[in-house]
Amino acid sequence: MCTIVVLFILGVVPSICKGQHDNTCDVFPKDRYIEMGSSIKIVCQTSCVNSNVFWTLNSRPIDESLSNTINSTQTVLSLSNFIHHSAVLQCHSADTQQILGGTTIRTYSKPRRISCILDYVNQDVDGMPQALTCSWEHQADPSLTINYTVWCASSLHSSPSELCNSHETICISKHIHILSNFSVMVRAKTSEWEAYSDSYEFQPYHILKIIRPKLAVTAFYDHLLVVWNRSLGSKKCHCQVKYNKDLPPDEGSQEWVLNKTLNPMEKGKISIEKVDSCINYKISVRCALDQAPWSSWSKEKKVLTKLNKSHVSISLWRKVTELDQSRVRRVHVMWTDIPSTCQGTFKYIIKQMPYKEDMNSVNDTLCGNSTCDVDVDQDAQRLILRVFHDEILLAEDSVYVPAIGESLPQVTDIQTSTYEGVILVSWKAPIQPVSGYMVDWTHSGNQIYWKETNYTNATLSDLLDKKPYNITVTPLLGDKTGHGMQAFHICSRAGDPGKVDIISVNVYDKSAYVSWDINSAEECSGVVINYTVVYGTLLNVTVDSKKQDVFLKDLNPETQYRVYVEARALTGITRSTERFFTTKKFDPRLITALSVCGSIFIFLVLSLGLCCTVQWKKFKEKPVPNPGLSSVALWLLPSHQKGRCPFHDSSASPCDQIYTEETQRASTPPPDADCGGNPTTDQTEEYTDSVLILAPHIKGEIPVEPLSSPEESTALFSTDSSPFNPYRSQSSVEVSSPRSSKQSKPIQVKQQGKATLKTVYVTLDMFEQGQSR
């Protein structure tokens, strides 16, 4: 503190004296380092202003009570317990707010919390400690280069001696010999400041770190015996024994620590109980004098425990197949394997014992380490497993194989659920009382796991991820077993949905049809809840899991779109690869529809034209009789054909009823008889409503003679119309019906009056049709 006052007087007073003669303003002292928590006074020279001043610390106003005006040109700021690492002080004019001057004040701290340890350089040689290691805490600007010096003073040396130097907060001094209490002080020095720590006093045995112990470990059937030697046996000390199983790093290993206090002249010895059989353990020991730091851990010892017979649990179980064609069942027998690290020779023998007392036993079967297959018949069997260690019986267990059709209880209503890779199984107990249940499960059928429980539920852990398991629950009935109930394909955990593949994208002008498929490469893929089709920038459509196609509507023509499909399940989301498509300018379906309609219209037009052409051709080629080769005859109208004999041949040609001129001139024959053979009565009656026809001459037939009497003809066709008219003038005549025995006789009716004849043409095809009939 005196040093600070002296510096203040030497630095501030001359400046003040000089400033009285200068019309300047400034702040003194400039850029000082002070110890953290100390006090400082800052002077503001105000010769350049005639007003009051105020101070700011890091731009924040300071309480005016800390400032004192000495005279019209000087104002002093007094700060106590200054704890800022770095701060900017400024003096301001109260009237103009002008900064009259400023300075930066930085702080430093002294080293504290010094601790020292006496240690041995050579951990294998006992004796006097050869090294003193001291460390401390110091808060300082890391940009500064600080030199630390450790000073030591003891009752044997009146003046402090320098032990070591360092730029870090730790310093090691070797080859020293300290037998009594001593004190330590640390100096921190830079180019700007220098600080000394407080003095710390130490007692040698309280800071002595003894050499690490030497130990030996012996393995027994039920424990491990650890023995060690320690230094300074005449002193009381505390020891710790640390041990853990030697397991792979990924499995992890729990660590145990045993404490032991040794009195003077007592040797270190401790027994580690409850160790597992045939397991490698790692063991180490450390010790410390009373109130002293711990020694280093001893060299680690690794030891293999021996096989403890009480720890051997075979846990025998079996899986029975169905009866084959040779009436044999195969039983897969399983048991808990004895660790391969166990020393000695092991032998496994299975003996088959028929459950019926009157049946003889089957020969023994020598098996491997943990599984064995034996054949049994349809009867109940008891399989006995015996394990020998170095030819000495180590353990024995048996399992029951029920007979075919044996009435035994069975569990019902197996329920399963999964949670984070663990399968939870529950079931309903049978009506009969049971002693427990055996639960076995397998993924591939090759490796089977099993566990026994007394409850109607079980938790299956350590399963393969996303794999299906077949689970069987079998009730236990004392020395018997019931029938198993199975649950198939229970996944340890459902994975993401399968891979989504876009199958096709059919593009139109304002829409697109997208279809996809999902393929699951994993056996336990998650069940798809819905699909989301994402297209464009922010457009999407969601459909349920039953649909695997969708129409994208309201698209812009001639626009490129990006599309992909997301399959969503409770366990995750899978996404297809992206597809790009560009919409059409016009709808292809409209073009197709127009093309089809046009094709149909053209086909109809062509068909109609072809039909018309054929009909016109037929009309043009229709034969017309030559009038020069024709004759006039009478043809009865249908109304006069009612009286025809029912025995008349209906297939006869209509021309059979045509009567020419010659037949009309023939003499009147005798009266005809009716169909019953009776003669007709009305002989004077004549035919009416007859038709005058122009009959052509058919090739191969006798031509019909034309009418030649002038009195019998009329002008049927006008001869004045053309000088070359081939039709001659003909007239009809009343004629009697011919009486030919070869022709059918039409029924005669009384003539009501003179009838007018009707003229028609008979074409050749009419005769052809008649002949065809």
Side-chain angles (χ1 to χ4, degrees), residues 259-301:
N259 295 306
K260 178 74 173 180
T261 300
L262 301 179
N263 295 318
M265 309 308 296
E266 183 181 0
K267 294 183 178 180
K269 182 174 67 174
I270 197 170
S271 179
I272 301 177
E273 308 289 343
K274 298 181 181 180
V275 292
D276 295 336
S277 297
C278 306
I279 295 292
N280 282 310
Y281 281 86
K282 296 184 294 184
I283 305 168
S284 59
V285 180
R286 69 178 181 178
C287 295
L289 296 177
D290 201 15
Q291 300 183 13
W294 288 105
S295 68
S296 301
W297 286 104
S298 67
K299 291 182 179 180
E300 201 170 60
K301 284 286 186 178

Side-chain angles (χ1 to χ4, degrees), residues 13 29 126 143 158 188 264 356 363 388 404 412 446 464 478 517 525 570 573 587 600 644 675 689 737 743:
V13 174
D126 200 355
S143 62
S158 57
K356 296 182 179 179
N363 294 333
F388 295 88
I404 297 294
T412 57
N446 298 326
L464 297 176
D517 193 9
S525 298
L570 293 177
I573 300 175
D587 192 346
I600 294 174
R644 296 177 59 185
C675 294
D689 294 334
S737 175
Q743 295 178 343

Side-chain angles (χ1 to χ4, degrees), residues 502 505 512 514 533-540 552 555 559-566 575-583:
I502 297 179
V505 179
V514 181
V533 181
V534 181
Y535 60 100
T537 306
L538 299 174
L539 303 176
N540 66 81
L552 306 180
L555 304 182
T559 305
Q560 187 182 58
Y561 287 89
R562 178 194 64 172
V563 62
Y564 61 88
V565 181
E566 291 181 346
R575 173 177 167 176
S576 69
T577 56
E578 294 183 352
R579 291 275 295 270
F580 291 88
F581 67 89
T582 302
T583 52

Side-chain angles (χ1 to χ4, degrees), residues 604-618:
L604 293 176
V605 171
L606 293 177
S607 300
L608 182 60
L610 181 62
C611 181
C612 293
T613 302
V614 172
Q615 294 298 325
W616 176 253
K617 186 176 181 181
K618 286 183 179 181

Side-chain angles (χ1 to χ4, degrees), residues 631-637 640 657-661 664 686-694 707 711-717 729-736 751 753-761:
S631 299
V632 175
L634 290 176
W635 192 1
L636 294 179
L637 292 177
H640 293 91
Q657 302 178 24
I658 300 174
Y659 308 104
T660 60
E661 179 185 359
Q664 297 290 345
E686 295 180 356
Y687 291 104
T688 60
D689 294 334
S690 298
V691 178
L692 180 65
I693 66 170
L694 185 64
L707 297 174
E711 66 273 14
E712 297 176 354
S713 60
T714 60
L716 297 176
F717 301 96
S729 296
Q730 297 174 346
S731 61
S732 61
V733 64
E734 295 181 4
V735 296
S736 301
Q751 185 175 356
K754 191 71 175 183
T756 302
L757 296 177
K758 296 180 181 180
T759 304
V760 297
Y761 281 113

Side-chain angles (χ1 to χ4, degrees), residues 160-199:
S161 61
E162 184 178 318
L163 292 180
C164 59
N165 294 284
S166 174
H167 293 292
E168 305 294 334
T169 57
I170 185 172
C171 188
I172 301 175
S173 177
K174 299 181 179 180
H175 308 292
I176 64 169
H177 300 281
I178 298 177
L179 301 177
S180 60
N181 297 347
F182 65 97
S183 60
V184 173
M185 182 177 61
V186 177
R187 181 189 67 185
K189 185 177 181 181
T190 67
S191 59
E192 301 292 337
W193 52 266
E194 180 178 348
Y196 289 85
S197 69
D198 296 332
S199 179

Side-chain angles (χ1 to χ4, degrees), residues 369-661:
N369 290 337
S370 60
T371 60
C372 190
D373 292 335
V374 296
D375 294 334
V376 300
D377 56 16
Q378 67 272 18
D379 296 324
Q381 300 278 340
R382 179 164 294 281
L383 304 180
I384 303 174
L385 173 65
R386 292 177 176 175
V387 182
F388 295 88
H389 182 212
D390 295 334
E391 302 301 329
I392 300 175
L393 182 62
L394 180 65
E396 181 178 278
D397 198 0
S398 65
V399 66
Y400 179 74
V401 180
I404 297 294
E406 185 175 357
S407 178
L408 292 170
Q410 189 179 35
V411 302
T412 57
D413 192 22
I414 294 182
Q415 301 290 333
T416 61
S417 61
T418 58
Y419 178 74
E420 295 184 353
V422 175
I423 298 179
L424 306 177
V425 188
S426 62
W427 58 88
K428 288 185 178 180
I431 300 176
Q432 300 88 337
V434 297
S435 59
Y437 303 92
M438 187 67 75
V439 182
D440 63 78
W441 63 96
T442 179
H443 161 58
S444 60
N446 298 326
Q447 182 67 44
I448 302 175
Y449 305 89
W450 68 99
K451 66 186 299 185
E452 185 176 351
T453 179
N454 294 326
Y455 305 99
T456 57
N457 57 77
T459 301
L460 312 183
S461 56
D462 299 329
L463 306 176
L464 297 176
D465 191 30
K466 302 177 186 177
K467 295 297 180 182
Y469 282 85
N470 295 332
I471 304 171
T472 305
V473 180
T474 307
L476 304 179
L477 313 171
D479 60 345
K480 288 187 176 183
T481 61
H483 293 300
M485 174 65 72
Q486 287 187 313
F488 296 98
H489 202 81
I490 308 302
C491 290
S492 58
R493 185 170 69 89
D496 295 336
K499 180 183 178 183
V500 182
D501 295 320
I502 297 179
I503 299 176
S504 63
V505 179
N506 298 331
V507 183
Y508 305 101
D509 59 337
K510 295 183 179 180
S511 62
Y513 173 77
V514 181
S515 63
W516 61 89
D517 193 9
I518 185 166
N519 299 312
S520 177
E522 297 182 353
E523 298 174 288
C524 293
S525 298
V527 178
V528 177
I529 299 176
N530 55 50
Y531 297 98
T532 300
V533 181
V534 181
Y535 60 100
T537 306
L538 299 174
L539 303 176
N540 66 81
V541 58
T542 300
V543 297
D544 58 30
S545 59
K546 296 180 180 179
K547 293 192 63 177
Q548 292 187 352
D549 57 2
V550 70
F551 262 103
L552 306 180
K553 300 179 181 180
D554 300 328
L555 304 182
N556 297 322
E558 293 187 297
T559 305
Q560 187 182 58
Y561 287 89
R562 178 194 64 172
V563 62
Y564 61 88
V565 181
E566 291 181 346
R568 186 180 303 274
L570 293 177
T571 54
I573 300 175
T574 56
R575 173 177 167 176
S576 69
T577 56
E578 294 183 352
R579 291 275 295 270
F580 291 88
F581 67 89
T582 302
T583 52
K584 306 292 185 181
K585 185 175 182 180
F586 301 103
D587 192 346
R589 294 172 295 183
L590 178 60
I591 299 176
T592 303
L594 293 176
S595 302
V596 172
C597 294
S599 301
I600 294 174
F601 178 75
I602 292 173
F603 176 78
L604 293 176
V605 171
L606 293 177
S607 300
L608 182 60
L610 181 62
C611 181
C612 293
T613 302
V614 172
Q615 294 298 325
W616 176 253
K617 186 176 181 181
K618 286 183 179 181
F619 176 77
K620 293 292 291 182
E621 295 178 354
K622 192 171 185 179
V624 177
N626 187 352
L629 302 177
S630 304
S631 299
V632 175
L634 290 176
W635 192 1
L636 294 179
L637 292 177
S639 62
H640 293 91
Q641 298 181 19
K642 299 179 181 179
R644 296 177 59 185
C645 181
F647 301 101
H648 172 68
D649 185 5
S650 62
S651 64
S653 174
C655 294
D656 293 343
Q657 302 178 24
I658 300 174
Y659 308 104
T660 60
E661 179 185 359

Side-chain angles (χ1 to χ4, degrees), residues 110-129:
K110 61 183 180 181
R112 60 194 184 96
R113 294 186 180 179
I114 301 174
S115 62
C116 296
I117 295 177
L118 282 171
D119 199 359
Y120 291 86
V121 177
N122 189 351
Q123 290 290 322
D124 296 326
V125 179
D126 200 355
M128 294 294 294

